[in-house]
Amino acid sequence: MAPAKFKKPPQAPPLFTHTPESLMKNTDRLLSKNKGLIDRIVADVKPESAEFKDVLLPMAQDDNEMSLESHIIGFYQAVSTDAKLRNASTETEKKMDEYSIEASMREDIFGLVDAVFRKQKDDSKLDAESRRLLEKDHKSYVRMGLGIPAGEKRDRFKAIKKRLSELSITFQKNLNEESGGIWFTPEELDGVPEDVTSGLKKGEGENAGKMYLTFKYPDLFPTQKYCKVQATRKKVFLGNENKCNANVELFKEAIVLRDEAARLLGYPDHATFRIEDKMAKTPATVDDFLGDLKKRLAPGGDKEIAKLKELKKAETGEADQYFLWDHRFYDTLMLERDFQLDQNKIAEYFPLQSSIEGMLKIFEELFGLHFVKIDGEDRAAISESGKGDDIVWHQDVQVFSVWDDEAEGSGFVGYLYLDLHPRDGKYGHAANFNLQPGFINENGTRRYPATALVCNFSKPTPKKPSLLKHDEVVTLFHELGHGIHDLVSRTIYSRFHGTSTVRDFVEAPSQMLENWCWTPSQIAGLSKHWSYLSDDYAAAYKASANTDRLPAEAMPDDLIKSIISTRHINDALFNLRQLHFGMFDMSVHEPKSHAAIEDLDASALYNRLRKEISHIDGPEALGEDYNWGNGQATFGHLIGGYDAGYYGYLSSQVYSTDMFYSVFKKDPMDGKEGRRYRHMVLEKGGSQDEMQTLEAFLGRKPSTKPFLEELGVA
Ligand SMILES: [Zn+2]
């Protein structure tokens, strides 16, 4: 039971009672209010007397208000079970994007912003966050083409921006709604765990006796890891690489248009445009970083392949080639054979629900937080409609109110939502979505954030809870880390709230937290054998294991050791895979000329680079050309905002490893350092220069050494 004072948050949670019609209506209302505001500012304020408080402040405040509704309007497309609502969400998001492009290209308001910028960019009477807002807003108008003289070129730029926004939304929609799969006989699925096959759709008629394996993670990963039939793994691998071919053209169109837009703005390419305001500043810095890493990792990757080939040879008698569809299988087998890493055994100690509780406890101790689950009557009590169901978008969703602990002042922090299991039409990966950002209201009070974790872990059954593999534990902790970043952030403007930092920093806090999942004391603390969750589960365990004794409740030391000892096994190949994504991303965004990007065969480049970087064989090793698959069409990142930014996953590891090694490694549960981190890093969001945040926390400039040491390539 939560203490009574934690029962009633000072701010009601958002309601999820929208209909397709209300989404449309609300969107129109928000947009016309915003337009009215800008029209009024333009009519009332003259450039000579324009000041921050009359131009940027009211616009920022309207942004704050608008974001309370707009994020949720766009959120339904990722989570609603109602296709009409998903479509309306997609449509209204398109409309909002179009409007915001329109608004950010208004010459009249830019004239005023420009005047304020000239007058007040160094005005010490403005607080630092407001000065940053002024600088960033001004720059974003310039980047939206207002530096291009009005006329044909500017109109073309505007049309490109609109089209790019449509492309991004359609691309993601195609991915979310992808529902392909392949029929297999039980023999073809030999080795795939029973808890996966038992959940597959059974065939009738011509497919009688077969099972339908989809490309969703809970089907895909276990098949790639455990299916003993190479032909099946190959089919599934190729099927997955070709599951969303409708996106091939959209991807191509996007990279061509991005290049054209960058050139219209006077940049040599899209990467230069994207990276100038990031921590890396220039594509050359990124290319050098990735190139150096590739050189350092390549020998390790080859060694790993040689060992994996030996294993394949021992298993099958032949191993001239080591294929992409072999990799997860032999990687898993090696970990089990050579390192006694039994993923399924380990998963028995990570039931989803108790793991989440354990993770929240870590955040409580480290950051001085308090999570209160809101169930049943309590939901109705805080719901503005009086109905408990209205505060969630689906009955499976869990809600928490989050508070500061006593030492932190017992104040309200925000709402956390967990939406954990797959559903038709639901976003297919694991990610954190901001539902409502925090900011300072016009009257000076604080608006508190609401943030959601959307994941796809298998559903519990009466006989067995949902169990997490160790890598899923890491993913969950990582995504929760984004959620915590989103919750504890305290900025003046919603624009800088939480994870609204530069792309090449945003992953660092979550990546740093992943280290907790590789620390013995933390693994032990998180673990709880599933048979201890309830009497029914205890009975089910005894029946299934044919024993009358339960195993130890916490994970035994030898299992923990096996996890730790395997952290870097085949790690060069893992990082080379990340490099492949990063280098492909850079390649398509820094072509030598516009003609080069128009002529580019992105699929062939994607597959060729993969071969060149990882040295793992694909169908090309069997005599096919490089057009055997379209992985870029399934790669939401490069369309959804990580364009010329995927390298950030690797480069922010430099920062995260540095922070972990120098501050938390000796004691990950050091509450004093945890609170210092919370207030100096997480709380700042994007409200100050990220390098400044990092250097202030470290007390020095960041170093790449810990990262290279951790990879064993220093
Ligand atoms: Zn992340």
Side-chain angles (χ1 to χ4, degrees), residues 17 37 98 104 123 133 192 199 224 287 291 371 455 480 545 593 700:
T17 49
L37 173 74
E98 271 172 28
S104 53
D123 185 349
L133 180 81
V192 180
Q224 290 179 328
D287 292 337
F371 295 86
C455 314
L480 257 178
S593 64
R700 57 167 167 76

Side-chain angles (χ1 to χ4, degrees), residues 426-572:
K426 181 176 154 178
Y427 177 79
H429 311 265
N432 169 238
F433 290 78
N434 174 275
L435 301 177
Q436 292 187 326
F439 51 83
I440 301 285
N441 287 310
E442 273 176 62
N443 65 10
T445 58
R446 176 156 289 284
R447 174 78 209 184
Y448 303 99
T451 195
L453 241 61
V454 178
C455 314
N456 285 278
F457 300 115
S458 59
K459 266 196 137 171
T461 68
K463 288 261 169 72
K464 217 173 191 184
S466 171
L467 299 176
L468 302 178
K469 302 276 194 309
H470 182 256
D471 61 337
E472 293 177 315
V473 171
V474 177
T475 300
L476 182 58
F477 204 57
H478 175 107
E479 295 305 332
L480 257 178
H482 287 310
I484 300 301
H485 195 177
D486 205 17
L487 280 166
V488 302
S489 172
R490 301 255 164 103
T491 60
I492 301 174
Y493 304 109
S494 60
R495 185 190 205 297
F496 297 128
H497 175 82
T499 52
S500 309
T501 68
V502 285
R503 277 278 188 243
D504 48 359
F505 183 72
V506 70
E507 293 300 329
S510 282
Q511 287 170 340
M512 190 189 77
L513 287 168
E514 290 180 16
N515 289 291
W516 271 247
C517 305
W518 297 100
T519 304
S521 58
Q522 303 305 309
I523 296 175
L526 279 178
S527 70
K528 185 191 191 84
H529 194 272
W530 66 273
S531 58
Y532 287 82
L533 294 184
S534 72
D535 292 345
D536 286 349
Y537 282 148
Y541 172 80
K542 285 177 185 166
S544 70
N546 215 350
T547 170
D548 51 7
R549 287 184 42 200
L550 296 183
E553 183 172 355
M555 187 179 289
D557 284 346
D558 58 325
L559 273 187
I560 295 179
K561 262 195 210 119
S562 75
I563 294 175
I564 309 278
S565 70
T566 51
R567 178 172 189 181
H568 294 301
I569 300 304
N570 297 330
D571 203 27

Side-chain angles (χ1 to χ4, degrees), residues 225-226 327-337:
K225 284 181 180 173
Y226 297 107
H327 184 55
R328 279 181 197 263
F329 180 78
Y330 289 106
D331 175 54
T332 306
L333 192 64
M334 175 179 281
L335 292 170
E336 287 179 357
R337 286 262 173 93

Side-chain angles (χ1 to χ4, degrees), residues 13-247:
L15 299 179
F16 296 89
T17 49
H18 297 84
T19 61
E21 296 72 35
S22 75
L23 288 192
M24 299 289 180
K25 231 177 67 198
N26 293 349
T27 302
D28 289 342
R29 171 175 49 75
L30 291 172
L31 299 186
S32 81
K33 179 162 161 266
N34 186 265
K35 183 169 182 306
L37 173 74
I38 297 178
D39 288 346
R40 215 168 50 244
I41 294 172
V42 168
D44 292 352
V45 183
K46 297 281 155 283
E48 312 79 74
S49 56
E51 285 194 45
F52 182 87
K53 67 174 172 41
D54 308 315
V55 180
L56 286 112
L57 184 62
M59 291 204 296
Q61 284 166 341
D62 191 59
D63 256 5
N64 291 345
E65 289 297 321
M66 184 143 73
S67 63
L68 296 180
E69 295 188 62
S70 62
H71 294 187
I72 291 173
I73 290 174
F75 181 59
Y76 284 107
Q77 64 191 284
V79 294
S80 176
T81 50
D82 176 357
K84 286 207 190 79
L85 194 56
R86 285 202 305 272
N87 285 336
S89 168
T90 306
E91 286 310 309
T92 45
E93 188 172 41
K94 254 186 216 170
K95 203 167 181 182
M96 285 190 286
D97 283 359
E98 271 172 28
Y99 170 78
S100 93
I101 292 169
E102 197 78 42
S104 53
M105 290 182 160
R106 278 181 67 161
E107 189 118 45
D108 50 5
I109 190 72
F110 175 60
L112 292 175
V113 171
D114 193 43
V116 175
F117 179 71
R118 282 165 207 288
K119 208 180 302 172
Q120 287 189 281
K121 65 179 190 298
D122 300 313
D123 185 349
S124 58
K125 287 202 292 299
L126 280 182
D127 61 89
E129 187 174 333
S130 297
R131 281 206 305 276
R132 184 168 167 85
L133 180 81
L134 172 58
E135 191 200 316
K136 290 245 170 189
D137 271 4
H138 181 263
K139 184 83 191 173
S140 71
Y141 282 105
V142 175
R143 289 167 65 88
M144 283 304 282
L146 286 169
I148 304 173
E152 204 180 312
K153 269 190 174 177
R154 168 117 47 103
D155 293 344
R156 173 65 188 152
F157 181 85
K158 199 164 154 182
I160 291 176
K161 281 284 176 189
K162 277 205 170 153
R163 180 63 186 150
L164 281 171
S165 139
E166 283 168 18
L167 285 171
S168 152
I169 290 170
T170 313
F171 187 99
Q172 190 56 51
K173 186 170 192 282
N174 288 345
L175 266 186
N176 286 350
E177 299 189 347
E178 175 280 315
S179 61
I182 303 173
W183 289 102
F184 286 111
T185 64
E187 296 74 39
E188 288 170 323
L189 293 178
D190 185 24
V192 180
E194 209 268 333
D195 59 344
V196 176
T197 52
S198 65
L200 300 180
K201 192 166 82 184
K202 309 280 176 288
E204 290 165 12
E206 61 169 357
N207 290 315
K210 293 186 179 177
M211 292 173 274
Y212 193 67
L213 191 91
T214 73
F215 300 123
K216 306 274 183 240
Y217 287 179
D219 289 1
L220 181 72
F221 290 158
T223 305
Q224 290 179 328
K225 284 181 180 173
Y226 297 107
C227 183
K228 294 178 182 161
V229 186
Q230 175 173 307
T232 301
R233 296 198 308 268
K234 181 179 178 187
K235 246 190 203 174
V236 171
F237 179 86
L238 291 176
N240 187 55
E241 296 287 301
N242 287 287
K243 70 181 170 187
C244 216
N245 287 348
N247 278 347

